[in-house]
Amino acid sequence: MDVKSRNYLLMNRQALEKDIKTSYIMDRMISDEVLTLQEEERVKQQNTQKERAAMLINIILTKDNNSYRSFYNALLHEGYRDLAALLQDGIPAISSGNGKSSMDGMTSYVKTILCEGGVPQRPVVFVTRPKLVDAIKQKLCSLGSDPGWVTVYGMAGCGKTVLTAEALRDHQLLEDYFPGGVHWISVGKQDKAGLLIKLQNLCSRLEHDSTLPQRPPLNIEEARDRLRLLMLRKYPRSLLILDDIWDSWVLKAFDNQCQVLITSRDRSVTDAVAGNKYEVHVESGLAHEKGLEILSLFVNTKISELPEQANCLVRECKGSPLVISLIGALLRDFPSRWEYYLKQLQNKQFKRIRKSSSYDYEALDEAMSISVEQLNDNYKDYYKDLSILPKDVKVPTKVLCILWDMETEEVEDILQEFVNKSLLFCDRNGKSFHYYLHDLQLDFLTEKNRNQLQELHKNIVNQYKKYYKLNMPVPSQEDCMYWYNFLAYHMAGANMQKELRDLMFSLDWIKAKTELVGPAHLIHEYVEYSSILDQKDSTVRENFQEFLSLNGHLLGRQPFPDIIQLGLCQPETSEVYQQAKLHAQRETGTFYLEWINKKSLKNLYRLVVRPHRDAVYHACFSKDRQRIASCGADKTLQVFKTESGETLLEIRAHDDEILCCAFSADGEFVATCSADKKVKIWNSRTGQCRCVYEEHSEQVNCCQFNNRSGQYLLATCSNDTFIKLWDLNKKYCRNTMIGHENSVNHCRFSPNDEYVASCSTDGTVKLWEARSANELRSIEVKDFFKNADEQPDDVEVLVKCCSWSRNSDLILVVAKNKLLLFDVKTCNLLTQVVVSHHSTIQYCDFCPGDELVAVALSHCSVELWNIKSLSKVAYCRGHMSWVHCVTFSPDGSLFLTSSDDQTIRIWETTKVCKSSDAVLKSELDVVFHNGEVMILAIYNQKHLQLINGNTDSVFMQTAAQESPISCCCLSEDLKFAAFGQENGTIKVLQLLDGKVLKSREAYRTSVQHCRFTSDCQTLISSAHDSVIQVWNWQLSESMFLRGHKEAVKDFRLLENSKLLSWSFDGTVKVWNITTGNTEKDFACHGGAVLSCAVSPDGSKFSSTSADKTAKIWSFESSSVLHELKGHEACVRCCSFSPNNKLLATGDDKGEIRIWDILTGALLHFCSPVTVDEGEPTHGGWVTDLSFSPDSKMLVSSGGYLKWWNVTTGESLQTFYTNGTNLKSIHVSPNFNVYVTVDNLGILYVLQKL
């Protein structure tokens, strides 16, 4: 060792001896081959931690420069950064010019990259396999800078993971090809919920240094998009390693144009993804010499000096690195037992375990059995406890500390014993250790201890309860995510019915878990453990499952909603509501609201079924509407009754995800097509497979029968660019339609069966003649997006779906966020609709009546559009994840939707349209009178209703008017009502019987506002013009207030027959409504005046404007007192506090500001702490504001309702309405009752609890 390095060790010896724990440092030095096992034993024999450290330093002082470097790196990576810093200046110079350590090519740069990327450490004993390592490196270099896949494949236990990790320990490879780093994720056998957890953890790891922490992605699609952005922007030119991939569908979540290396037992696993592909095959067994090398390293003996039994042992181990390591670890502890272990392997001393593992690894069972038998009895029990660990999950030390009720160091010592014996694997994650078993080891343990698994699960649950008592894990604890993801799994494994029900039916648990990982995993658990949860009754489980399904879109957002408030919106018979009510009553000081008229709100869907255990990709009605067929990611075809959801057929139909299904016209057959490239025809009654078609060369995306009964023609389309026509009476394809340049997503027969339409990712729709299979026309849909404001990296136009009109003359096409309607004969575009600016359309279907179109959107909702009026008539929310499909019944009375949330919902078309097409318009008037809440509302556009908000009963409803009603008002004495119509007519009616007393054709445009004066004799009104009309309806006299130069925005009555009005011309005027004269004229703003408010003492008023400012004015001096600047969008509303000290203003960005009236200073900024990216603070514009009588609280309306603490600016409560875009909020004088209407036309009467 260099003199300088030696001096640095001696100089800092005291600090080193005081602080370091030697065990993990020695592991690293042994793997670096600078410390022998005998030297490790000498250190371990010392009595105290300090003496062990002193012995280790003495040994290092006798060695060369490599040992100094290894010791330094070990300190660095085991968390002793301060001690490593003391030795840094003493690091000896490296002789080779590339900065590589002479022993193994590892530099501090490489170690840092691999440590940060989560790459597994070398095993305790490691032998090089240079040919394979070089082959992996070569394939990684072949990727260049292009996206692509390298697959390292071979059977279980052959060393794929170790070899892949070794290939990455190359400075030049990382620096030249992957300067963005490497990111390792152990995947394993996963369902969708498990994969989502893996993706959430990966995104969290990649975002670790982000200044604004993001909520975890809520579904696989969102996670894929997040990952794509991270790899593109934050980690360009980096490598993603997916270890132990079992299923091809998993890769779709990572198919995002980056460079990926995967290890798998299945070489064809990348067939489902695009890009350059390279393969490295790892032989199933080690070469004989390599097996001997592993044994020699374990027993620290030269190969030539190994006993003769060594050769036989390697042969018995079948060349498996895992098995040889297990035997080697035993021999290290008992070096004289070569003959003993060989005989045990040869004689199959330990009973062969039958297990469901994918590999018949007899030698592994024998080696595992021998290894476990050699543990002392205490350690055997600890190892048995690991039988219940979930597969492919790295478990933090803290979980095992709780299980065994021990300190961290004690647990780590026990686990290190297992690691040393190759019975367990260890990974470093930050400052803590995570442990895991190989799949085959876990299979072995599970089978060996099968009869004790229930007790073992019970033990871990009891230890959890003992540790946490009535508390719950918090995110800062390293074991937190483990318990939230797997506590229910352990309770179910223990068959602890009461404990599982208490956990899963607890709003506290639901809140904590959904806040961390979203609702998808919980819903998966309700389905997974339903047999245990439903032993008494399924109602409670269904209540909670539906609560999560219907509120999933809220439970994933930031800020996280109050789950008690959401629960209070459930039906009163629901267990969720009852639990929420008890919580609300117990929690003093928290503000909760009861939706007192919610009974009148019926669910818009008729039936919700969950026939699948994974995403539902497609569902369709039989022609008689009695049955529904569905298919999805769980590879099953289901047929069930439309009325009840009762299952009629369940078929494991394909080897991969089923992407589409279709009934024949007579309902006799169901066709399915799959990612396994096959098309199958089934008898829809018996489930018998009639035929299988295998002529497509890639996944088949869609299948559709023709519409005539008796003639069975089927159209299919595929990623292979072809559409094929099949005659069920023949074995082979009748016609192949060639013409698309890319994957064909969808195909459909025209209703008259003359044509087939196909949609492709090449941006075209093609029309084919069904009889001849000739191409008739091609519509270049991508041309209709050329002038749109598209993102520069998003130029591809994928045509997803099409639907025919009933007479086959029109075809509706879906691409991105647009509906495009074409004439079939001319291919002319007749009309187009931009459905949404925030999501893409997944599917569309024409209602048989030809006016309605149903559209499935990526943001979990379905919309109905009237294609003639180009208006949205219904918004159907309920699904909590992507909606893949929407299909009308043959008569159009029902439509169904299928989603990633595993549900199919059946909706009644007329009910949805009635309830969603603004049942009540947002213009309403409310009078709070003697404890009663009287509401005047516009019902179905042409009726006026008087509703008692307390009882939700309708007192009076007018006959349908000749023109839609546009505004309405009540007199204070509740004797009269008035309303304006779109044709400009104003009417006054008597509330007692609904009789119209007076009518007047006042305007040529739609009436916008009307209000009674306090004596009820005069009605003030305004329309889309600059004139205000004052109509004494009892005397039939009218007066016109002219002066504004543009349309009047609104007005309000003041005392002493005065009127305040404001206009789009930027002015505010005060009128005398007796004389018709203007008394004051204020030129307030450069832009439109959007609202005004008058101070409680009547001396001031405020104005807000599209110019992003608000102003406070004096009536007396006609001058501006304060100009309030700072809003970043149109200031839409304002309100004075009753104590005359504060003014609140709200803008179109969703922000609220509270100002001091006296000084004009900004006091508070009302805004949640965190908001989802792209999500406005208030769900949209702030449209109305109202203070409480004591001026301490403020309520605001926007995308939903919010209550604020005026003193601090903090949010007190949020009420999420079913719809959005609330125009106003009516508040009772005591601030206890609130009334509003959303854009779905749903009325909300809310009462403070």
Side-chain angles (χ1 to χ4, degrees):
M1 186 183 292
D2 289 353
V3 176
K4 180 184 174 187
S5 304
R6 185 182 177 81
N7 287 341
Y8 266 89
L9 263 180
L10 293 168
M11 248 166 36
N12 297 295
R13 180 174 189 147
Q14 196 172 353
L16 292 165
E17 289 176 359
K18 181 181 172 187
D19 286 343
I20 63 171
K21 292 181 183 176
T22 54
S23 58
Y24 297 123
I25 288 171
M26 288 195 296
D27 286 342
R28 285 187 173 272
M29 294 181 73
I30 289 167
S31 75
D32 287 345
E33 299 176 10
V34 298
L35 196 70
T36 67
L37 296 171
Q38 287 88 342
E39 286 166 339
E40 180 190 31
E41 201 54 44
R42 277 171 57 199
V43 174
K44 283 184 174 178
Q45 284 169 2
Q46 306 308 308
N47 295 323
T48 65
Q49 178 183 311
K50 188 172 181 180
E51 287 171 355
R52 287 192 287 273
M55 176 58 74
L56 178 61
I57 291 166
N58 285 338
I59 291 169
I60 294 169
L61 286 166
T62 66
K63 292 180 175 284
D64 61 7
N65 288 340
N66 287 337
S67 62
Y68 188 98
R69 290 191 202 97
S70 175
F71 182 53
Y72 169 79
N73 285 325
L75 289 173
L76 198 65
H77 292 294
E78 294 301 331
Y80 300 107
R81 292 181 182 276
D82 49 344
L83 295 177
L86 298 176
L87 301 183
Q88 189 166 8
D89 291 339
I91 296 174
I94 297 170
S95 53
S96 54
N98 60 358
K100 289 185 181 179
S101 144
S102 57
M103 62 185 167
D104 64 352
M106 285 276 274
T107 63
S108 57
Y109 166 75
V110 171
K111 289 192 175 185
T112 304
I113 293 292
L114 300 192
C115 186
E116 288 176 354
V119 177
Q121 299 168 14
R122 276 182 178 144
V124 175
V125 166
F126 169 73
V127 295
T128 59
R129 296 159 82 180
K131 278 189 180 177
L132 285 168
V133 171
D134 287 345
I136 295 170
K137 288 182 189 178
Q138 185 188 343
K139 299 301 183 190
L140 286 172
C141 294
S142 299
L143 287 173
S145 56
D146 297 326
W149 308 79
V150 174
T151 305
V152 180
Y153 70 93
M155 67 182 292
C158 70
K160 301 182 294 291
T161 300
V162 173
L163 289 165
T164 299
E166 193 58 27
L168 298 174
R169 294 186 173 94
D170 185 307
H171 188 109
Q172 212 66 48
L173 177 76
L174 297 181
E175 196 168 63
D176 293 352
Y177 290 92
F178 308 111
V182 296
H183 312 289
W184 186 292
I185 173 171
S186 300
V187 182
K189 183 79 173 163
Q190 295 294 345
D191 56 16
K192 287 216 168 183
L195 179 62
L196 180 59
I197 291 168
K198 297 275 181 189
L199 286 162
Q200 287 172 335
N201 290 340
L202 178 61
C203 289
S204 169
R205 200 167 90 197
L206 297 179
E207 291 166 339
H208 66 93
D209 59 351
S210 177
T211 48
L212 284 171
Q214 295 215 49
R215 63 156 173 75
L218 299 180
N219 54 53
I220 289 171
E221 287 76 15
E222 187 186 342
R224 175 182 164 174
D225 290 345
R226 179 93 58 90
L227 192 57
R228 177 176 167 272
L229 287 173
L230 283 165
M231 298 301 276
L232 195 69
R233 295 176 184 172
K234 194 172 177 184
Y235 300 99
R237 295 192 65 204
S238 61
L239 178 67
L240 187 62
I241 303 106
L242 309 177
D243 187 27
D244 195 20
I245 294 291
W246 284 62
D247 298 299
S248 58
W249 66 265
V250 168
L251 291 188
K252 292 175 186 175
F254 301 94
D255 189 5
N256 50 25
Q257 297 294 297
C258 62
Q259 297 184 315
V260 187
L261 183 151
I262 67 169
T263 71
S264 178
R265 58 189 172 76
D266 179 3
R267 76 180 290 183
S268 66
V269 77
T270 55
D271 287 356
V273 292
N276 298 326
K277 294 168 190 172
Y278 304 93
E279 292 178 350
V280 178
H281 178 229
V282 179
E283 303 89 350
S284 57
L286 284 172
H288 192 79
E289 284 302 309
K290 287 291 177 187
L292 290 174
E293 190 182 339
I294 290 180
L295 288 179
S296 73
L297 287 169
F298 267 108
V299 297
N300 201 25
T301 306
K302 291 178 182 175
I303 293 178
S304 59
E305 295 173 7
L306 289 172
E308 59 185 44
Q309 293 94 333
N311 285 302
C312 301
L313 268 171
V314 171
R315 279 195 292 272
E316 286 296 328
C317 290
K318 310 289 191 289
S320 164
L322 185 61
V323 181
I324 294 172
S325 296
L326 286 166
I327 295 295
L330 290 167
L331 287 165
R332 183 177 59 191
D333 293 341
F334 304 99
S336 61
R337 293 189 179 179
W338 291 86
E339 185 67 31
Y340 173 67
Y341 292 139
L342 175 60
K343 277 184 180 174
Q344 286 193 308
L345 278 174
Q346 286 174 334
N347 298 335
K348 306 289 184 280
Q349 185 75 25
F350 294 90
K351 188 184 173 189
R352 169 85 185 111
I353 289 174
R354 293 182 185 178
K355 59 186 188 307
S356 57
S357 166
S358 303
Y359 293 97
D360 185 28
Y361 236 133
E362 194 169 342
L364 174 83
D365 285 353
E366 300 300 332
M368 283 288 295
S369 297
I370 297 168
S371 299
V372 173
E373 283 303 312
Q374 294 305 321
L375 293 170
N376 72 41
D377 288 346
N378 279 350
Y379 278 56
K380 280 182 194 171
D381 287 338
Y382 292 134
Y383 196 62
K384 186 203 300 179
D385 286 340
L386 305 183
S387 308
I388 47 134
L389 294 186
K391 263 195 178 180
D392 302 303
V393 172
K394 294 180 180 178
V395 180
T397 314
K398 177 78 181 290
V399 171
L400 298 162
C401 292
I402 291 169
L403 172 60
W404 294 331
D405 200 7
M406 289 182 186
E407 294 298 319
T408 304
E409 289 77 9
E410 292 178 276
V411 169
E412 286 177 350
D413 286 345
I414 292 169
L415 297 174
Q416 189 58 41
E417 183 73 14
F418 299 149
V419 171
N420 290 341
K421 287 182 166 36
S422 296
L423 287 168
L424 187 69
F425 297 91
C426 171
D427 256 6
R428 176 125 197 183
N429 190 342
K431 290 186 178 177
S432 63
F433 292 95
H434 286 59
Y435 297 90
Y436 61 99
L437 291 160
H438 192 287
D439 281 1
L440 298 177
Q441 292 174 319
L442 192 55
D443 283 346
F444 169 87
L445 273 179
T446 305
E447 205 56 50
K448 184 174 190 291
N449 302 305
R450 182 162 296 284
N451 296 332
Q452 299 172 64
L453 290 179
Q454 190 166 317
E455 276 306 308
L456 294 173
H457 278 294
K458 194 171 186 178
N459 183 39
I460 195 170
V461 174
N462 288 334
Q463 288 298 104
Y464 166 87
K465 287 164 68 179
K466 177 183 171 185
Y467 183 84
Y468 280 106
K469 299 183 173 67
L470 298 174
N471 302 315
M472 280 189 286
V474 294
S476 58
Q477 296 165 315
E478 64 167 311
D479 60 325
C480 164
M481 290 303 288
Y482 181 87
W483 297 117
Y484 281 118
N485 286 326
F486 300 111
L487 182 57
Y489 156 78
H490 289 304
M491 286 180 172
N495 199 25
M496 299 172 81
Q497 186 190 345
K498 182 182 182 303
E499 287 82 355
L500 186 62
R501 286 173 65 90
D502 288 348
L503 181 80
M504 299 289 286
F505 301 155
S506 155
L507 281 179
D508 291 330
W509 179 258
I510 290 170
K511 178 182 188 297
K513 178 159 179 168
T514 50
E515 204 161 342
L516 273 176
V517 297
H521 193 250
L522 253 175
I523 290 175
H524 169 77
E525 288 179 325
Y526 283 121
V527 175
E528 185 82 8
Y529 309 131
S530 58
S531 58
I532 302 172
L533 295 169
D534 293 354
Q535 278 181 16
K536 288 184 180 176
D537 178 17
S538 65
T539 311
V540 177
R541 194 252 315 155
E542 286 165 359
N543 287 165
F544 278 90
Q545 194 171 318
E546 181 158 294
F547 169 62
L548 281 175
S549 294
L550 296 180
N551 290 285
H553 58 289
L554 300 175
L555 291 170
R557 72 197 303 162
Q558 293 289 342
F560 193 82
D562 187 322
I563 206 156
I564 308 303
Q565 183 57 65
L566 290 179
L568 288 169
C569 296
Q570 295 302 291
E572 292 184 7
T573 53
S574 165
E575 178 69 22
V576 180
Y577 170 82
Q578 289 162 21
Q579 226 183 93
K581 189 78 178 270
L582 285 172
H583 271 77
Q585 288 166 344
R586 277 202 306 265
E587 291 187 31
T588 53
T590 312
F591 186 86
Y592 288 113
L593 299 139
E594 183 87 82
W595 183 5
I596 60 177
N597 69 319
K598 70 182 170 197
K599 287 178 192 169
S600 65
L601 183 72
K602 297 178 178 68
N603 274 337
L604 300 182
Y605 33 82
R606 175 192 277 197
L607 181 70
V608 183
V609 289
R610 193 182 297 269
H612 294 273
R613 291 292 174 265
D614 210 330
V616 190
Y617 291 147
H618 196 83
C620 57
F621 289 96
S622 60
K623 198 158 190 178
D624 61 5
R625 214 192 73 172
Q626 299 301 307
R627 293 175 296 158
I628 290 170
S630 64
C631 60
D634 64 1
K635 308 172 190 174
T636 67
L637 167 68
Q638 308 273 351
V639 180
F640 56 90
K641 290 182 181 176
T642 304
E643 195 58 45
S644 63
E646 180 188 338
T647 301
L648 300 171
L649 267 185
E650 180 174 355
I651 306 167
R652 176 83 177 186
H654 285 267
D655 300 325
D656 206 335
E657 298 182 332
I658 307 177
L659 304 177
C660 189
C661 59
F663 274 108
S664 61
D666 58 7
E668 283 301 304
F669 300 107
V670 179
T672 56
C673 61
S674 164
D676 67 7
K677 310 172 190 174
K678 296 174 186 174
V679 178
K680 297 186 182 183
I681 311 296
W682 309 86
N683 184 305
S684 70
R685 309 282 179 187
T686 65
Q688 184 180 358
C689 184
R690 171 169 169 161
C691 50
V692 180
Y693 298 126
E694 299 187 59
E695 292 185 33
H696 282 293
S697 59
E698 292 193 41
Q699 75 172 32
V700 189
N701 295 315
C702 182
C703 56
Q704 289 286 326
F705 276 103
N706 65 332
N707 299 294
R708 284 196 202 102
S709 294
Q711 182 191 12
Y712 300 115
L713 276 183
L714 181 75
T716 61
C717 60
S718 161
N719 280 5
D720 62 12
T721 74
F722 303 138
I723 304 103
K724 290 181 180 284
L725 278 184
W726 314 83
D727 185 330
L728 265 58
N729 296 315
K730 297 177 182 175
K731 285 186 178 179
Y732 304 105
C733 168
R734 193 183 89 168
N735 298 100
T736 299
M737 303 171 187
I738 302 170
H740 283 294
E741 295 172 7
N742 213 326
S743 304
V744 188
N745 299 318
H746 190 254
C747 58
R748 208 175 254 199
F749 278 96
S750 60
N752 61 13
D753 284 342
E754 289 182 14
Y755 310 112
V756 174
S758 59
C759 307
S760 168
T761 54
D762 64 14
T764 67
V765 172
K766 291 185 184 291
L767 305 180
W768 315 79
E769 191 176 59
R771 188 172 296 170
S772 66
N774 291 332
E775 182 181 328
L776 289 175
R777 296 174 186 85
S778 183
I779 303 171
E780 298 285 334
V781 176
K782 57 181 180 283
D783 290 350
F784 298 95
F785 288 83
K786 281 187 176 172
N787 298 325
D789 183 19
E790 297 294 332
Q791 295 291 327
D793 63 342
D794 190 21
V795 293
E796 204 174 18
V797 177
L798 313 177
V799 186
K800 288 246 178 123
C801 175
C802 64
S803 185
W804 293 85
S805 64
R806 186 168 44 178
N807 59 9
S808 304
D809 289 344
L810 308 174
I811 189 162
L812 185 73
V813 176
V814 159
K816 291 195 172 185
N817 59 350
K818 281 186 184 179
L819 289 172
L820 303 104
L821 188 66
F822 293 96
D823 183 293
V824 171
K825 287 178 182 170
T826 64
C827 292
N828 289 339
L829 178 67
L830 302 177
T831 188
Q832 61 177 317
V833 182
V834 177
V835 170
S836 168
H837 291 289
H838 306 295
S839 60
T840 55
I841 304 173
Q842 301 298 308
Y843 205 86
C844 73
D845 198 30
F846 244 131
C847 183
D850 277 359
E851 281 196 15
L852 282 184
V853 173
V855 176
L857 296 167
S858 60
H859 67 214
C860 319
S861 66
V862 174
E863 293 179 357
L864 296 191
W865 284 74
N866 184 313
I867 202 68
K868 290 186 178 175
S869 65
L870 302 185
S871 59
K872 180 164 68 175
V873 295
Y875 177 73
C876 313
R877 185 158 64 190
H879 285 295
M880 60 152 292
S881 192
W882 281 36
V883 183
H884 287 288
C885 163
V886 55
T887 314
F888 280 102
S889 60
D891 62 359
S893 63
L894 302 175
F895 64 95
L896 59 77
T897 54
S898 63
S899 165
D900 254 7
D901 66 9
Q902 305 175 11
T903 67
I904 296 167
R905 292 169 192 255
I906 295 101
W907 313 71
E908 291 184 48
T909 309
T910 50
K911 187 194 282 188
V912 166
C913 290
K914 279 179 186 172
S915 58
S916 301
D917 185 17
V919 174
L920 299 183
K921 286 192 71 167
S922 48
E923 289 76 18
L924 75 163
D925 198 14
V926 182
V927 171
F928 299 96
H929 181 71
N930 296 333
E932 296 278 291
V933 183
M934 304 306 296
I935 302 160
L936 188 68
I938 302 163
Y939 169 71
N940 259 10
Q941 298 200 50
K942 291 194 174 182
H943 302 268
L944 207 59
Q945 280 188 348
L946 183 66
I947 303 165
N948 183 318
N950 305 68
T951 61
D952 202 34
S953 53
V954 177
F955 277 179
M956 180 277 299
Q957 180 174 313
T958 65
Q961 303 299 307
E962 70 284 355
S963 170
I965 302 170
S966 50
C967 61
C968 62
C969 65
L970 281 167
S971 65
E972 289 179 17
D973 58 9
L974 292 176
K975 289 182 179 178
F976 307 108
F979 60 90
Q981 294 175 255
E982 288 184 10
N983 64 2
T985 303
I986 300 173
K987 295 179 182 177
V988 177
L989 55 84
Q990 194 167 267
L991 283 176
L992 191 63
D993 53 10
K995 180 184 174 185
V996 175
L997 301 175
K998 287 283 174 78
S999 175
R1000 180 167 182 266
E1001 292 180 13
Y1003 298 94
R1004 290 180 182 173
T1005 59
S1006 176
V1007 185
Q1008 293 301 294
H1009 301 285
C1010 59
R1011 283 189 193 89
F1012 283 104
T1013 54
S1014 55
D1015 62 7
C1016 308
Q1017 293 183 10
T1018 303
L1019 190 71
I1020 320 286
S1021 62
S1022 66
H1024 275 309
D1025 62 20
S1026 60
V1027 179
I1028 299 168
Q1029 298 195 20
V1030 181
W1031 177 34
N1032 187 319
W1033 61 273
Q1034 292 188 338
L1035 300 176
S1036 297
E1037 294 174 357
S1038 58
M1039 182 190 302
F1040 299 90
L1041 308 182
R1042 303 179 195 274
H1044 285 297
K1045 293 188 172 59
E1046 290 183 42
V1048 175
K1049 179 71 175 74
D1050 205 350
F1051 58 84
R1052 67 169 288 169
L1053 287 155
L1054 306 174
E1055 292 178 354
N1056 305 320
S1057 302
K1058 301 288 193 297
L1059 181 83
L1060 186 76
S1061 67
W1062 51 97
S1063 162
F1064 286 97
D1065 63 11
T1067 67
V1068 175
K1069 297 181 187 293
V1070 179
W1071 309 83
N1072 184 315
I1073 58 172
T1074 310
T1075 64
N1077 296 331
T1078 308
E1079 296 200 346
K1080 301 251 183 203
D1081 199 342
F1082 300 86
C1084 291
H1085 294 273
V1089 181
L1090 301 178
S1091 73
C1092 285
V1094 177
S1095 63
D1097 63 5
S1099 65
K1100 307 174 194 72
F1101 76 92
S1102 59
S1103 61
T1104 70
S1105 170
D1107 66 9
K1108 304 180 186 178
T1109 67
K1111 294 180 181 179
I1112 301 174
W1113 302 81
S1114 164
F1115 277 120
E1116 191 177 343
S1117 65
S1118 299
S1119 61
V1120 65
L1121 300 174
H1122 302 291
E1123 184 174 3
L1124 312 176
K1125 294 181 177 178
H1127 282 286
E1128 295 173 13
C1130 297
V1131 190
R1132 193 154 293 275
C1133 57
C1134 56
S1135 178
F1136 283 97
S1137 63
N1139 66 7
N1140 217 31
K1141 293 180 179 177
L1142 308 171
L1143 177 74
T1145 55
D1147 67 23
D1148 285 2
K1149 202 179 171 188
E1151 293 173 354
I1152 298 165
R1153 292 164 190 254
I1154 298 175
W1155 312 83
D1156 185 309
I1157 293 174
L1158 194 63
T1159 64
L1162 176 65
L1163 300 176
H1164 292 299
F1165 181 77
C1166 294
S1167 175
V1169 182
T1170 53
V1171 180
D1172 281 352
E1173 190 181 341
E1175 179 92 7
T1177 304
H1178 210 303
W1181 300 350
V1182 182
T1183 54
D1184 203 0
L1185 296 159
S1186 184
F1187 279 94
S1188 61
D1190 61 4
S1191 304
K1192 291 181 178 177
M1193 284 173 71
L1194 180 74
V1195 62
S1196 57
S1197 62
Y1200 33 79
L1201 296 176
K1202 285 191 81 68
W1203 285 259
W1204 308 87
N1205 181 321
V1206 172
T1207 313
T1208 63
E1210 291 173 358
S1211 171
L1212 297 171
Q1213 188 54 273
T1214 304
F1215 185 92
Y1216 292 99
T1217 47
N1218 286 18
T1220 183
N1221 297 349
L1222 314 175
K1223 282 196 177 176
S1224 62
I1225 174 86
H1226 298 262
V1227 184
S1228 65
N1230 62 3
F1231 208 67
N1232 278 348
V1233 181
Y1234 314 86
V1235 181
T1236 192
V1237 171
D1238 67 17
N1239 66 338
L1240 302 183
I1242 298 170
L1243 176 69
Y1244 300 86
V1245 182
L1246 309 177
Q1247 187 163 11
K1248 186 178 169 186
L1249 266 178

